[in-house]
Amino acid sequence: GGEYLEIASKVQTIVFDKTGTLTEGKPSVTDIYDISEPRIGEKELLRLAAIAESGSEHPLGQAIVRKAKEDNLIPNPEISEAISGHGLRAEYQDHIILVGTRKLMIDNRIPIPEKVESKLTELENMGKTAVLVATDSKLSGILALADTIKESAKKAVDALKSNGKEVIMLTGDNERTAKHIAGLLGINRVIAQVLPQQKEEVISKLKSDGKIVAMVGDGINDAPALARADLGIAIGSGTDVAKETGGIILIKGDVRDVVIALELGRKTVSKIKQNLFWAFAYNTGLIPIAGGALVPLLGVGIFGWLPMLAAVAMAMSSVTVVGNSILLGRYKPKLPPSTAELQRPYVQQPGHPK
């Protein structure tokens, strides 16, 4: 809609969700640590976590299930309950399985030993998301997952910053992992460990500071924030809820299109202002003539020509405005090159100078 293009030209701050927006949203299990007493083994630890996560739609949960299915089929739990922003609780064959964050364990009175805490910190400093697994109120192990940064993300962030935009990363992930990812992308401001319902509050706070805010996201938990932002930009590969809420939808998952969307908004508003100028210019010049400004010079006979002048002026005004608008079709977006494109080797063509 036109209103979104107009807002796009005024955006000062762009807030990016992390998982699925700046990253591919397809994490994989990289490390499994069994700390149970007595030891249940890494495969059994992974199996129990996958049973709990079998009905989850969260990318991390799906990654755990995918890893477990490489070895065997995963049964569904009898009871499964998601704890928003912290993990989930499931029951299977008289066992209670908890999979999630430190907060989930603390809330269920499961202590986290110092050696486990140091391992979590080590993994998070490597940019991995560490998930704790507990069975029957005892800590059983750690699953570490890593996501891949989109090739286009770094170039999109650099382009936005070069255009004077403030770039913020907003995520429910822990602060260490979030800062590691942000450092790789060149994002200076990170708001981490945010619950889904708190994302909307963060956007409201930024708007209350007088900023024109755009939110870029792809998930169900991003929908309230997309709706609250001045401009919601939804990734086309994301959920239907996010796409319904966003004012602009990026058909591809390429976040460099955010740069194009804002540039297109600026170009469109510029054309509107140019058209208003020409429309007013014709009227300002010809209204005095219609009022008789040329009579002292050309005589009363000029009035006979006024209808013809009015028709020519009207036609010229329309042609000028429409023609100027059509020129916008010549706008060719210049995508910042992705990391892969920058690293692509130069191949000399036969017969061409080096």
Side-chain angles (χ1 to χ4, degrees):
E3 63 180 296
Y4 299 116
L5 286 172
E6 187 174 355
I7 294 169
S9 69
K10 303 174 184 176
V11 167
Q12 301 162 307
T13 300
I14 297 95
V15 181
F16 284 98
D17 170 54
K18 180 177 79 69
T19 306
T21 303
L22 293 173
T23 65
E24 295 289 353
K26 295 178 182 177
S28 58
V29 177
T30 58
D31 305 90
I32 303 173
Y33 296 96
D34 175 18
I35 56 174
S36 59
E37 293 292 344
R39 293 281 191 261
I40 61 174
E42 292 182 358
K43 285 190 176 182
E44 180 62 13
L45 174 67
L46 177 62
R47 191 181 79 91
L48 291 172
I51 289 169
E53 296 279 8
S54 59
S56 174
E57 294 183 356
H58 195 283
L60 296 179
Q62 291 174 351
I64 292 171
V65 173
R66 279 198 305 273
K67 179 68 174 176
K69 282 185 176 178
E70 292 176 5
D71 295 323
N72 49 40
L73 295 175
I74 307 301
N76 293 322
E78 283 103 30
I79 299 174
S80 182
E81 176 194 0
I83 294 99
S84 181
H86 297 305
L88 54 82
R89 178 185 183 277
E91 292 183 22
Y92 174 70
Q93 293 184 346
D94 298 324
H95 294 289
I96 296 174
I97 308 169
L98 295 173
V99 183
T101 64
R102 296 175 178 84
K103 182 75 164 53
L104 179 65
M105 302 301 154
I106 293 168
D107 288 347
N108 286 272
R109 299 179 181 178
I110 299 174
I112 302 173
E114 191 172 328
K115 64 177 183 179
V116 174
E117 183 61 47
S118 63
K119 191 64 184 178
L120 291 172
T121 302
E122 178 189 337
L123 292 167
E124 289 163 358
N125 285 335
M126 294 165 64
K128 298 179 180 181
T129 299
V131 177
L132 291 166
V133 182
T135 52
D136 299 325
S137 300
K138 293 180 181 178
L139 206 59
S140 300
I142 306 169
L143 299 180
L145 302 98
D147 203 350
T148 306
I149 295 174
K150 288 183 178 178
E151 291 181 351
S152 58
K154 179 70 166 67
K155 289 300 166 185
V157 171
D158 289 345
L160 290 168
K161 288 169 68 175
S162 67
N163 290 337
K165 311 296 183 185
E166 179 187 17
V167 180
I168 300 172
M169 188 170 82
L170 180 64
T171 178
D173 214 335
N174 68 81
E175 194 164 351
R176 290 190 190 93
T177 302
K179 284 187 174 179
H180 179 84
I181 299 295
L184 295 175
L185 293 171
I187 298 176
N188 299 321
R189 186 174 177 187
V190 178
I191 304 174
Q193 292 178 291
V194 180
L195 296 175
Q197 62 269 26
Q198 292 175 328
K199 288 187 176 183
E200 182 183 6
E201 296 171 12
V202 171
I203 298 297
S204 295
K205 175 67 170 59
L206 291 170
K207 288 176 66 176
S208 68
D209 293 338
K211 298 174 181 176
I212 307 297
V213 181
M215 171 72 191
V216 187
D218 74 316
I220 292 173
N221 58 359
D222 298 323
L226 289 169
R228 176 64 63 185
D230 295 295
L231 176 64
I233 302 177
I235 303 294
S237 57
T239 63
D240 291 338
V241 175
K243 287 186 279 188
E244 285 293 328
T245 313
I248 293 176
I249 300 174
L250 308 182
I251 301 301
K252 300 178 290 181
D254 194 333
V255 287
R256 290 179 295 173
D257 287 339
V258 174
V259 183
I260 294 174
L262 301 186
E263 178 68 10
L264 188 59
R266 191 184 68 79
K267 293 270 187 185
T268 302
V269 171
S270 175
K271 284 293 179 186
I272 291 170
K273 291 178 179 177
Q274 291 170 21
N275 290 343
L276 284 171
F277 167 79
W278 286 112
F280 278 111
Y282 278 108
N283 284 293
T284 303
L286 289 168
I287 285 175
I289 294 174
L294 295 180
V295 170
L297 295 174
L298 303 175
V300 178
I302 190 63
F303 280 110
W305 290 88
L306 289 182
M308 191 181 298
L309 288 173
V312 171
M314 189 67 212
M316 289 299 295
S317 176
S318 297
V319 168
T320 302
V321 169
V322 172
N324 190 41
S325 299
I326 289 173
L327 288 176
L328 189 59
R330 297 173 62 185
Y331 165 63
K332 300 295 181 186
K334 294 180 181 179
L335 276 173
S338 67
T339 305
E341 289 167 341
L342 285 174
Q343 294 175 346
R344 187 178 297 152
Y346 171 75
V347 180
Q348 185 177 355
Q349 299 298 321
H352 283 259
K354 192 170 183 180

